[in-house]
Amino acid sequence: MTRKVEASNISVSYNEFEALQDINFTLENGKIYGVIGRNGAGKTSLLSVIAAYRKATSGEMKIDGENIFENENAMSQVMFVHQTDYKDHHDTISKYFDLAERYRPAFDRKYAEQLVQLFQLPINKPLRKLSAGMQSAFNVTMGLASKTPITIFDEAYQGMDAPTREIFYSEVLEEQARNPRIFILSTHLISEMEYLFDEVLMIHQGTLILQEEVDTLLERGYSVTGPTSDVVEVVAGLHVLNEEQLGGTKSMMLYGELTKEKEDEIIRKELEIGNISLHELFIHLTKEGM
C-alpha cells in the first residue's frame, strides 16, 4: 500500500507559547526526508505529532487519509526513535527483541541481530549498563528493524562516534533500497548527513519555511566572487544571503534562480560562480530578520 503523510494547518501550543504555526506538507513513500532547524525551532514537536505522541492544538495529521491521533491502525505504521533514558531499564537487548516481535508484527529479528553485530552491541547485557553511544546504536537498530512504513529518527545519532554514525547512514540507504519507506531524520549534523536526504523540510521559529528536493534547493544557492564594484553591480536586485570582503575582492552568497541572462553577465565580467552547501544555506536562511 502506498503510504502518504499529510499535515494540514498543524499548530501546537504550550500554554502561551506557540511551538508550531500553520504547518502544511506531504511526505511520500520511498523518500528520505531531512528535518532541519535551529534549537527550539519546533522539530521535535512536529515529529511528536507525526508519531501521534502529541495531539496538535489545531489542524490534522493524516496517514493515507486517516487521522493518526488515537488511531491504533495508523499509529502502528510509525516508529519514533528518540533519545531515551535507560538508567532504570534492566532488560537486555535480546529481551527487547522478544517484545518487539510480540508487538510489532513487521519487526525483522534476523536483520536486528545483523545490526547488533555491525554495531558490536552486547546482546545479553542490560541496556542501563551500555554506553550512551551503544544505547543510541540500539535505538537505531530498533528503528531500522521495525520495518514500519514511517520511521522517524530524532537526533538518533547522539553519543555515537563517527564510524558508528557512518554504519547507521549506510544502513538507512541500504534498507531504503531493499524496503522503501518514509524515513524522517532530524539532525544538526547537516553537512555530514545531507547526502542522505531526498527532500529537506526547514523549520524556523515554529514555521515551515521550505520543503524542497535537495538538488533543487542547492541549485538556488550560489556565490559570486570578484572585484567589489563588478560583484555589487551584477547582484543588484538579487536575494543576498551573506557577503564577505577581503581587500578589493568581494564574495556574495545568493539565493534564487540563476537565469541564463544573469549567468552570461557574470561570465562576461569574468566573475567566479561557486556552489553553496546545504549547511551554509540553512545557516543564512534561518538568520534573524531573514
Side-chain angles (χ1 to χ4, degrees):
M1 178 184 291
T2 299
R3 296 291 170 188
K4 182 182 288 187
V5 178
E6 295 173 287
S8 301
N9 308 114
I10 294 292
S11 294
V12 172
S13 298
Y14 307 103
N15 298 322
E16 298 299 313
F17 175 66
E18 208 168 13
L20 297 172
Q21 303 113 42
D22 200 29
I23 302 282
N24 294 275
F25 60 76
T26 298
L27 311 180
E28 297 178 342
N29 189 54
K31 289 188 176 184
I32 300 174
Y33 294 89
V35 176
I36 60 178
R38 296 180 180 239
N39 288 334
K43 301 186 299 297
T44 296
S45 293
L46 178 60
L47 299 179
S48 297
V49 174
I50 297 174
Y53 278 38
R54 181 182 308 281
K55 190 179 190 307
T57 307
S58 61
E60 294 183 316
M61 187 70 71
K62 294 182 177 181
I63 295 177
D64 291 341
E66 292 186 34
N67 278 301
I68 186 170
F69 192 73
E70 295 184 340
N71 180 333
E72 186 175 342
N73 177 59
M75 290 170 65
S76 69
Q77 309 303 310
V78 184
M79 180 72 171
F80 185 23
V81 179
H82 53 90
Q83 288 302 110
T84 305
D85 184 355
Y86 288 110
K87 68 180 180 182
D88 296 321
H89 291 235
H90 296 266
D91 288 336
T92 63
I93 290 175
S94 183
K95 178 65 174 177
Y96 273 92
F97 288 173
D98 292 342
L99 294 170
E101 281 187 308
R102 184 182 307 168
Y103 295 109
R104 288 195 174 270
F107 182 76
D108 186 339
R109 182 159 191 154
K110 182 178 179 181
Y111 179 40
E113 290 171 348
Q114 289 171 354
L115 290 170
V116 162
Q117 294 297 315
L118 277 175
F119 289 125
Q120 299 180 27
L121 299 177
I123 198 165
N124 291 313
K125 193 172 183 179
L127 269 174
R128 66 188 181 90
K129 292 190 175 181
L130 301 187
S131 68
M134 285 186 172
Q135 290 179 359
S136 291
F138 164 73
N139 287 339
V140 302
T141 293
M142 295 297 286
L144 289 164
S146 70
K147 304 286 186 176
T148 50
I150 300 145
T151 305
I152 303 169
F153 295 105
D154 185 14
E155 305 283 359
Y157 55 78
Q158 290 186 12
M160 292 182 184
D161 56 26
T164 307
R165 294 198 302 273
E166 282 301 321
I167 293 171
F168 169 48
Y169 304 156
S170 176
E171 285 301 317
V172 168
L173 292 174
E174 290 182 22
E175 178 59 16
Q176 183 70 314
R178 289 189 297 259
N179 301 289
R181 52 177 130 163
I182 294 173
F183 276 112
I184 306 171
L185 289 83
S186 166
T187 183
H188 286 104
L189 300 179
I190 299 169
S191 57
E192 185 174 293
M193 295 176 66
E194 68 176 82
Y195 76 96
L196 297 172
F197 306 146
D198 296 301
E199 290 188 21
V200 166
L201 288 81
M202 193 178 295
I203 301 176
H204 185 51
Q205 296 180 344
T207 64
L208 180 66
I209 62 174
L210 64 84
Q211 176 184 0
E212 195 71 78
E213 290 185 1
V214 170
D215 291 344
T216 301
L217 181 58
L218 292 177
E219 286 175 2
R220 292 213 183 110
Y222 59 98
S223 64
V224 177
T225 304
T228 299
S229 59
D230 289 341
V231 171
V232 170
E233 182 180 343
V234 83
V235 306
L238 300 180
H239 183 177
V240 177
L241 293 176
N242 191 49
E243 57 183 89
E244 296 179 353
Q245 184 84 39
L246 182 60
T249 300
K250 182 178 280 290
S251 180
M252 302 190 81
M253 189 180 295
L254 305 156
Y255 180 71
E257 181 187 1
L258 177 58
T259 64
K260 182 66 166 62
E261 181 183 21
K262 183 59 69 174
E263 184 177 8
D264 288 345
E265 182 184 355
I266 292 171
I267 292 170
R268 190 166 59 250
K269 289 181 179 292
E270 299 183 343
L271 303 176
E272 179 184 343
I273 302 175
N275 296 321
I276 300 177
S277 69
L278 177 61
H279 181 74
E280 289 174 306
L281 278 174
F282 164 70
I283 289 172
H284 295 292
L285 287 172
T286 59
K287 274 184 180 176
E288 296 302 319
M290 288 302 296

